[in-house]
Amino acid sequence: MGKSKVIATITVADIIREGVVFGVCLLVAIAMNAYSIVHYQTEWIELYTELGFVATLAVILYAARCVAKALILVVWKFAKRLRHKMKR
């Protein structure tokens, strides 16, 4: 059998950080829902009844953050390789 190669390690700090980031996304989604309740003058019970949509919005916000983070990482790696090749 060949040697296995470790690509990445996930630490407890990484898990906690991502949990906090998702929590912030959830709070932003709840705040957006509260703003819409005030703006459209609807019932405050919608803060509870629309929780499924709020959770979906939080997942979409988290996914958008992950895509943005991945794009930044790709651009960063590309720029690093380009700088390395230009030094030669």
Side-chain angles (χ1 to χ4, degrees):
M1 287 194 178
K3 293 183 180 178
S4 63
K5 189 174 185 181
V6 175
I7 297 173
T9 56
I10 300 173
T11 63
V12 174
D14 294 334
I15 295 171
I16 291 171
R17 181 180 57 246
E18 293 302 315
V20 168
V21 168
F22 182 74
V24 169
C25 291
L26 188 59
L27 287 176
V28 167
I30 291 170
M32 289 171 66
N33 190 23
Y35 171 77
S36 68
I37 289 170
V38 170
H39 184 267
Y40 294 108
Q41 298 176 351
T42 59
E43 298 292 324
W44 279 99
I45 192 142
E46 287 188 21
L47 201 60
Y48 171 73
T49 58
E50 300 298 321
L51 201 54
F53 292 112
V54 170
T56 303
L57 179 60
V59 169
I60 290 170
L61 289 172
Y62 183 77
R65 178 254 184 196
C66 290
V67 168
K69 187 175 178 180
L71 286 174
I72 289 169
L73 181 64
V74 167
V75 169
W76 182 263
K77 293 280 187 180
F78 179 73
K80 188 176 178 180
R81 285 187 179 178
L82 189 61
R83 272 187 263 128
H84 181 70
K85 284 187 177 185
M86 291 181 80
K87 283 184 180 179
R88 289 186 194 181

